[in-house]
Amino acid sequence: MPLKTKLSCRNVWKLYGANAERFLDRDMPPSGEDLRKAGIIGAVRNASIDIAEGEIFIIMGLSGSGKSTLVRCLSRLIEPTAGQVLFDGTDLLCANEAELIEIRRHKMGMVFQHFALLPHLTVLQNVMFPLTIQGVAKSQAAESALEVVELVGLKGREAYYPRELSGGQQQRVGIARSLVTEPDLWFLDEPFSALDPLIRREMQDEFLRLQARLHKTIVFITHDFEEAVRLADRIAIMKDGEIIQVATPEELVLNPASDYVAEFTRHIPRSKVLSVGGIMSAELTGEGDPIPQVTRISAVAEEIISADSPRPVCDGDGRIIGSIGRNAVAHVLFGSGEAS
Amino acid sequence: MRSIARFQTAMAWGLILATLLLGWFGRDLAKALDARWLVKFPSAWVIHFKTKISAAMKWLVEEAAIGPVAFTDITRALAWLIEQPYELVLAFLAHGFFLDSGADPLVILPAISWIAVTAGVIALGHYCRDWGLALLVGACCIYLAVFGQWESAMVTLASVLIAVPIGAGGGLMAGIWAYRHPLGERILSPILDLMQTIPIFAYLVPILFMFGFGPVSALVATIIYATPPMIRITILALKAVDPEILDFGRMAGTTERQLMWRVLVPSASQSLMVGVNQVIMLTLNMVIIASMIGAGGLGFDVLAALRRLDIGAGFEAGIAIVVLAIAVDRLSQAFAERMGQIQHVQPGSWLARHKRTALVTTLLAVTWVLGQFSPLLLTYPESQTITTGVFWNDTVKYLNVNYFDLFEAVKVFFLHWFLLPIKKVLLGLPWPWAIAMLSLLGWRIGGAKLALLCAALSTLILISGLWSKAMITVYLCGASVILATLIGVPLGVLAALNRRAGAVVNLLIDTLQTLPSFVYLIPVVMLFRVGDFTAMIAIVLYALAPAVRYAAHGVRNINEELIEAGLVSGCTKWQLLRLVRLPLALPEILLGINQTIMLALSMLVITALVGTRDLGQEVYIALTKADTGRGLVAGLAIAFVAIIADRLIKAGARGARLRFGLES
Ligand SMILES: Nc1ncnc2c1ncn2[C@@H]1O[C@H](COP(=O)(O)OP(=O)(O)OP(=O)(O)O)[C@@H](O)[C@H]1O
Ligand SMILES: [Mg+2]
């Protein structure tokens, strides 16, 4: 289904250093080598992406690869050195101060790695904050805030101060606060990186549950590929400020654009990434209930392997489009890791 | 390479020796050569800056105008703005409200009762922390009442209550401006740097000239003195706010103003409170100096007593300042702490939640009403006050009678073997040689620019005819700083290496720092009477703290690996200290000495009270005569001495840091 593009950027650059603008005025975009010689840091280099409405778009990369900078260019917290950022079809970089404030008040929300809660306000006041600065009446703001506080499971803790909460709870406050204005576009900059692994998984589930209800357009940063695979519709991989590949998790595993991407995907159990549709054979044979093609292998591996004959595979409308047998599954589970 | 280095060392020692010899025999030499101008700058060559400045100030005050608005209109308006709230607070706390100001004015409302103030302060202490604090500050109040210092203390408190909000608020605004506009910071930071090196009294005289003798002048001087740290701390605190919080504020769609007041300032409030506490301490520090240009209250009492050499009275008023300072300091710190803590709103009616406020307000009303019938409720009865003045006078008399020889011996020893030789060398030094050496030193440490600065500033001092007074200043400060370093640095090192000693030293230094500067003068005057030695002791006591603090900090903050490396290579404790710790802590120690010098210089105008003959005395005389030119020139001369010392030492510290690779 062709989706409407919500947010896109075209040839966005962010360079740090003296005379960085002049550097881009040439015919040829500068290479990494050029920049290094001139002593300029290329935090984001020539990034172009399109993010569809309702999509979870994940930006991945090692520390210092420019993820935060790119997201801050998309929300214009940082002024890009060059390029275009189109939000709902209009160029965000042309918006003036007042328009920008309007857009941020009503259409964007952001969650931060270290929560960025205001220490002098209670949970409820923190969540109300974006509304109060818009001048929404206090009772109404409190009502909306209570709703989202309940949504993130913090009911009963409205009067606590941030310091009195655990990290996971603090991030729930951060999430509630970013949702209270009902934004269309939701930025999350490594929201779960500061949390323990167990809490992190719990928060990821929570996040998916929220998204299933709210259908926001999401730009999510992480440096954890497992997290990306669990949450993403599509993933953009960044290295040294450049976007190397944008693809679904499955495509990344099956067709990595470079060794660098392959290295990222290596330690992930394939069965958790690949779907039945990706490895099925085109023969329309098989017995038993059809398996939807989007199902992850890990979810049905046991069933298929214990069955004697291949199972049919169907598409979204229930039409049979192929079949999958135990050999293919075993190859994914125990194979050398190279996609066939 | 090595021979060059050795040659340079030899040269340096040679020059130092030559300087010492020249200084020692300077006078004789000049006489022998019949060239007295070498040691005494001929008065015919002096440029009379002071008359020119006096004339300029006169023009400024009498004629200068922008269009129809005369300069005096501006100063008058400013004075009026400050005076109104001050008069109000003063009437409330100390004098009461009157209907007309005739010989026998009609009292509308008397000043707030001492009982109500004490109760209020106790309630505040309990609100901010606990009963312990409440007891301490309550005891401070009762002390002031019982020892007959109440009214003066309230006058002083009134000026603190005016100066602190203006200083803290103004500093906050200036800091915010500098944070928002890079231009603002570029303008403010050199001014702040300069303010830090210019001693207070350089601007006392111009203020006196512009605002006249009186509490307003005193308030203006106090505010100018107390504000710079607040500006600096505000800039730092705002810059230190987590960038994520800043991003959050922007993403929430705040306007610039909302971002500042609802996100940044509250997030930085903890550090900002440190700034406010600084303002309070500096304000209290200024109490006595401010009384030189018209502040009343405790400062005035001390000053008057010192002028009369009435040790007992001075000591009492001095202690009262300390008591007031302790109460205000502890309260403000506890208040800041409480602001940073979590406060859950208690359920219940307004009255239930504000028991303390209700109680104090009731007490206030009751004392006012019943005070009509029993004055005891309004003012502490004079007949019941205790005075310790006699006791102190007797003690001093006793000490002086019984231990006179001992004190005298100590004094003479220091004078003879320490102070006078330094004085002789500095005063005998031919000025061309001195300027040349200073410039050479500047060149070696900081390059051509620093050399030029040293030469220019010292030449300015010379041609303004203040050379010998400047030399006495250098001698007095130099001797005090040497002594303060000899005492302070070992103390600091000890505090850093030994935890128990550290606690004791810290307590000592904290106490020394809360005391206003000239409180040190009083006991020393009692024992050693007036003179250079007394001045030196007072300066050392006042200026000791930074030497200790920075040394301790420097030694403590050495990279642990370097210490371990030293241990592994078999250093003894002493070797470790001498070869590793001290050299690495050197930059910090130098910065501490720098601070010590600045404090020493700012103590000068106070020591002028005990009869020193330096630039401080020049300022002091100018103050009493309201001679702007003279005061400004002498003040600037002190500032120049301070700037030269500051730049030389900072460049030296930077050089040391570069050598150790702590900075690039
Ligand atoms: N204000 C700045 N001035 C100079 N360089 C900067 C600035 N901000 C970021 N950089 C550089 O840009 C690069 C990208 O930084 P960025 O914060 O976007 O990385 P990141 O991918 O978010 O890393 P992390 O996972 O650690 O958050 C880094 O090399 C960083 O040093
Ligand atoms: Mg980041």
Side-chain angles (χ1 to χ4, degrees):
Chain A
M1 40 178 172
L3 284 166
K4 192 176 138 235
T5 301
K6 186 80 185 169
L7 178 74
S8 62
C9 66
R10 295 269 159 272
N11 311 99
V12 166
W13 290 79
K14 180 67 200 181
L15 303 181
Y16 287 108
N19 293 324
E21 279 91 356
R22 217 197 44 208
F23 227 76
L24 288 173
D25 282 346
R26 312 181 310 184
D27 314 330
M28 277 270 290
S31 68
E33 190 65 24
D34 293 343
L35 292 175
R36 207 166 309 128
K37 266 192 208 142
I40 288 175
I41 298 171
V44 173
R45 287 155 52 199
N46 210 3
S48 301
I49 42 179
D50 292 291
I51 298 164
E53 191 162 343
E55 176 178 37
I56 301 182
F57 188 89
I58 288 195
I59 300 177
M60 264 218 52
L62 298 177
S63 190
S65 57
K67 309 177 296 284
S68 298
T69 312
L70 176 58
V71 160
R72 280 165 173 72
C73 285
L74 293 179
S75 57
R76 217 181 141 193
L77 282 172
I78 295 178
E79 209 65 44
T81 315
Q84 263 189 327
V85 176
L86 299 169
F87 177 52
D88 279 338
T90 55
D91 194 342
L92 200 62
L93 302 182
C94 299
N96 64 25
E97 186 69 33
E99 288 165 350
L100 200 59
I101 287 180
E102 258 334 274
I103 291 175
R104 286 181 180 156
R105 283 186 174 181
H106 300 290
K107 300 201 168 149
M108 290 180 177
M110 186 153 174
V111 179
F112 298 87
Q113 178 171 2
H114 302 288
F115 324 135
L117 301 179
L118 298 177
H120 62 291
L121 300 181
T122 62
V123 168
L124 192 68
Q125 287 166 333
N126 258 299
V127 177
M128 278 164 66
F129 186 86
L131 293 176
T132 47
I133 58 155
Q134 292 175 21
V136 174
K138 208 168 167 193
S139 57
Q140 201 185 332
E143 199 177 312
S144 313
L146 277 174
E147 240 166 67
V148 275
V149 167
E150 187 166 357
L151 188 67
V152 298
L154 280 181
K155 196 168 193 259
R157 294 185 198 267
E158 294 88 356
Y160 282 48
Y161 280 85
R163 262 165 300 169
E164 299 173 291
L165 300 177
S166 71
Q169 288 169 330
Q170 290 191 36
Q171 194 56 296
R172 282 167 198 262
V173 179
I175 288 174
R177 184 178 65 179
S178 68
L179 289 176
V180 75
T181 54
E182 301 179 2
D184 310 338
L185 187 55
W186 199 16
F187 295 106
L188 300 99
D189 185 353
E190 306 204 23
F192 309 140
S193 297
L195 306 176
D196 298 336
L198 273 180
I199 311 279
R200 196 181 308 168
R201 275 195 85 83
E202 193 185 312
M203 295 292 285
Q204 288 164 359
D205 292 336
E206 186 88 17
F207 171 77
L208 286 174
R209 182 179 66 80
L210 277 173
Q211 172 63 356
R213 275 180 65 173
L214 303 171
H215 307 295
K216 306 280 181 205
T217 306
I218 291 173
V219 183
F220 188 113
I221 300 182
T222 178
H223 59 238
D224 174 3
F225 193 63
E226 250 190 280
E227 182 167 86
V229 166
R230 282 196 69 186
L231 307 177
D233 289 322
R234 283 191 304 152
I235 298 176
I237 298 218
M238 286 188 82
K239 177 178 183 247
D240 298 337
E242 271 180 318
I243 294 178
I244 304 184
Q245 188 174 11
V246 182
T248 61
E250 197 161 4
E251 278 167 3
L252 280 182
V253 172
L254 292 176
N255 306 309
S258 67
D259 291 347
Y260 183 77
V261 178
E263 189 56 40
F264 256 116
T265 62
R266 175 149 306 151
H267 305 289
I268 286 291
R270 265 97 261 278
S271 60
K272 288 189 180 166
V273 180
L274 299 184
S275 65
V276 173
I279 59 161
M280 69 183 184
S281 68
E283 293 163 44
L284 301 178
T285 54
E287 294 168 9
D289 294 336
I291 305 168
Q293 65 168 341
V294 293
T295 317
R296 294 269 145 87
I297 307 281
S298 57
V300 288
E302 214 181 323
E303 270 179 67
I304 297 174
I305 286 183
S306 59
D308 292 332
S309 50
R311 293 273 293 274
V313 178
C314 65
D315 66 7
D317 303 328
R319 242 174 316 136
I320 305 292
I321 51 170
S323 63
I324 185 164
R326 59 161 70 129
N327 278 354
V329 172
H331 188 79
V332 170
L333 286 180
F334 310 114
S336 61
E338 292 304 310
S340 54
Chain B
M1 234 4 243
R2 258 189 76 189
S3 62
I4 293 180
R6 203 178 294 166
F7 174 71
Q8 280 186 342
T9 322
M11 265 295 271
W13 282 111
L15 283 174
I16 291 173
L17 196 67
T19 308
L20 290 178
L21 286 175
L22 257 178
W24 190 258
F25 297 109
R27 268 160 201 269
D28 308 328
L29 194 69
K31 219 176 271 169
L33 290 176
D34 196 19
R36 257 183 65 75
W37 57 271
L38 271 176
V39 287
K40 188 172 185 316
F41 192 68
S43 53
W45 299 357
V46 169
I47 299 177
H48 291 279
F49 292 113
K50 49 185 173 188
T51 42
K52 296 201 174 88
I53 290 177
S54 290
M57 280 302 282
K58 207 165 155 179
W59 171 82
L60 192 65
V61 171
E62 287 175 8
E63 283 164 49
I66 312 164
V69 185
F71 181 76
T72 31
D73 292 337
I74 300 175
T75 55
R76 252 186 233 139
L78 258 178
W80 188 85
L81 273 180
I82 296 177
E83 199 161 8
Q84 296 317 305
Y86 175 70
E87 290 294 336
L88 192 74
V89 176
L90 192 64
F92 183 66
L93 284 178
H95 295 161
F97 295 89
F98 300 103
L99 196 54
D100 59 354
S101 48
D104 192 18
L106 183 66
V107 180
I108 308 173
L109 195 61
I112 181 170
S113 147
W114 67 279
I115 298 176
V117 172
T118 308
V121 165
I122 290 176
L124 201 60
H126 184 239
Y127 168 79
C128 291
R129 192 173 293 153
D130 52 13
W131 277 114
L133 181 68
L135 269 173
L136 175 76
V137 291
C140 287
C141 276
I142 289 172
Y143 173 91
L144 292 175
V146 171
F147 284 82
Q149 306 288 337
W150 186 261
E151 177 139 4
S152 290
M154 287 303 113
V155 173
T156 299
L157 187 62
S159 64
V160 171
L161 287 181
I162 295 301
V164 169
I166 297 181
L172 182 69
M173 288 323 218
I176 287 176
W177 179 62
Y179 171 81
R180 269 201 192 152
H181 306 281
L183 179 72
E185 188 171 4
R186 233 175 307 141
I187 295 173
L188 276 179
S189 88
I191 297 181
L192 291 180
D193 274 351
L194 200 65
M195 300 272 282
Q196 214 168 32
T197 39
I198 295 187
I200 330 147
F201 30 97
Y203 45 80
L204 280 190
V205 189
I207 290 174
L208 186 63
F209 203 63
M210 282 190 277
F211 295 95
F213 186 88
V216 172
S217 271
L219 280 171
V220 171
T222 306
I223 291 165
I224 292 179
Y225 175 65
T227 306
M230 183 71 196
I231 302 179
R232 227 179 253 277
I233 289 178
T234 304
I235 300 177
L236 286 179
L238 290 177
K239 279 192 179 159
V241 170
D242 184 355
E244 277 196 347
I245 295 242
L246 189 68
D247 280 347
F248 157 69
R250 292 240 170 81
M251 279 311 278
T254 51
T255 60
E256 280 295 311
R257 177 170 303 187
Q258 285 174 328
L259 186 65
M260 181 55 66
W261 292 105
R262 306 193 56 171
V263 178
L264 292 177
V265 170
S267 305
S269 61
Q270 283 281 295
S271 326
L272 292 176
M273 281 314 290
V274 175
V276 174
N277 189 258
Q278 280 277 317
V279 173
I280 294 176
M281 291 325 289
L282 290 180
T283 302
L284 285 164
N285 243 318
M286 264 297 269
V287 163
I288 301 186
I289 299 174
S291 65
M292 289 182 181
I293 56 172
L298 294 172
F300 177 78
D301 295 351
V302 173
L303 195 67
L306 273 182
R307 281 184 181 144
R308 280 183 275 125
L309 283 182
D310 178 350
I311 304 301
F315 198 68
E316 260 187 353
I319 291 197
I321 296 181
V322 177
V323 167
L324 190 67
I326 288 175
V328 175
D329 177 49
R330 295 299 126 85
L331 268 182
S332 76
Q333 272 184 21
F335 188 75
E337 233 168 70
R338 185 182 155 90
M339 289 292 98
Q341 278 162 5
I342 292 158
Q343 305 304 330
H344 288 290
V345 179
Q346 261 119 41
S349 66
W350 186 91
L351 204 63
R353 277 181 288 129
H354 298 84
K355 275 189 225 110
R356 284 175 292 240
T357 319
L359 206 68
V360 173
T361 325
T362 321
L363 201 59
L364 176 63
V366 168
T367 49
W368 255 332
V369 172
L370 295 186
Q372 305 295 331
F373 311 108
S374 159
L376 167 71
L377 289 177
L378 284 177
T379 45
Y380 187 83
E382 213 157 309
S383 56
Q384 296 302 312
T385 55
I386 306 169
T387 171
T388 47
V390 180
F391 167 74
W392 293 115
N393 284 335
D394 289 348
T395 311
V396 172
K397 212 177 279 166
Y398 172 80
L399 284 176
N400 276 336
V401 168
N402 291 293
Y403 297 96
F404 180 81
D405 294 339
L406 180 65
F407 290 136
E408 204 59 17
V410 170
K411 184 166 145 184
V412 167
F413 174 83
F414 266 95
L415 276 174
H416 194 74
W417 291 105
F418 185 59
L419 287 170
L420 291 181
I422 298 180
K423 191 172 182 177
K424 178 164 180 188
V425 167
L426 282 173
L427 281 176
L429 206 57
W431 53 265
W433 179 266
I435 294 179
M437 283 301 110
L438 203 56
S439 310
L440 185 66
L441 191 65
W443 181 66
R444 285 291 300 158
I445 298 181
K449 243 171 118 181
L450 191 58
L452 204 65
L453 183 85
C454 291
L457 293 185
S458 50
T459 311
L460 271 174
I461 295 178
L462 180 74
I463 60 176
S464 63
L466 290 172
W467 182 262
S468 55
K469 290 210 160 140
M471 279 298 142
I472 298 185
T473 304
V474 172
Y475 134 74
L476 200 54
C477 280
S480 312
V481 169
I482 291 173
L483 210 57
T485 308
L486 288 181
I487 299 170
V489 172
L491 270 183
V493 173
L494 184 70
L497 297 183
N498 180 325
R499 176 157 325 145
R500 199 170 305 161
V504 176
V505 170
N506 259 346
L507 186 71
L508 180 77
I509 292 301
D510 273 344
T511 321
L512 280 181
Q513 272 201 327
T514 14
L515 303 185
S517 40
F518 36 92
V519 167
Y520 299 115
L521 211 49
I522 304 165
V524 192
V525 173
M526 296 201 275
L527 300 181
F528 298 104
R529 294 183 311 286
V530 298
D532 284 3
F533 181 70
T534 302
M536 181 186 78
I537 302 266
I539 297 176
V540 168
L541 285 175
Y542 180 60
L544 190 61
V548 179
R549 282 248 158 91
Y550 278 72
H553 187 250
V555 171
R556 240 180 242 135
N557 279 25
I558 294 169
N559 192 343
E560 207 42 51
E561 277 179 23
L562 290 173
I563 306 288
E564 277 164 14
L567 281 175
V568 168
S569 42
C571 284
T572 64
K573 249 183 163 176
W574 269 111
Q575 285 172 326
L576 204 60
L577 185 65
R578 201 163 49 88
L579 300 174
V580 182
R581 288 192 209 265
L582 283 184
L584 284 173
L586 187 67
E588 283 284 322
I589 293 178
L590 281 178
L591 290 179
I593 294 176
N594 191 24
Q595 283 297 308
T596 300
I597 295 177
M598 297 305 134
L599 287 184
L601 284 169
S602 68
M603 189 65 184
L604 284 181
V605 87
I606 292 162
T607 54
L609 285 174
V610 294
T612 54
R613 304 222 170 285
D614 57 358
L615 293 170
Q617 188 221 24
E618 187 80 0
V619 176
Y620 184 66
I621 293 174
L623 271 178
T624 52
K625 295 189 177 163
D627 182 345
T628 339
R630 190 172 181 178
L632 202 61
V633 170
L636 280 177
I638 298 178
F640 289 169
V641 173
I643 291 171
I644 292 175
D646 179 66
R647 296 300 128 89
L648 281 177
I649 291 180
K650 282 216 177 113
R654 210 178 113 72
R657 290 178 69 85
L658 283 176
R659 238 176 305 134
F660 301 149
L662 298 170
E663 192 180 303
S664 55

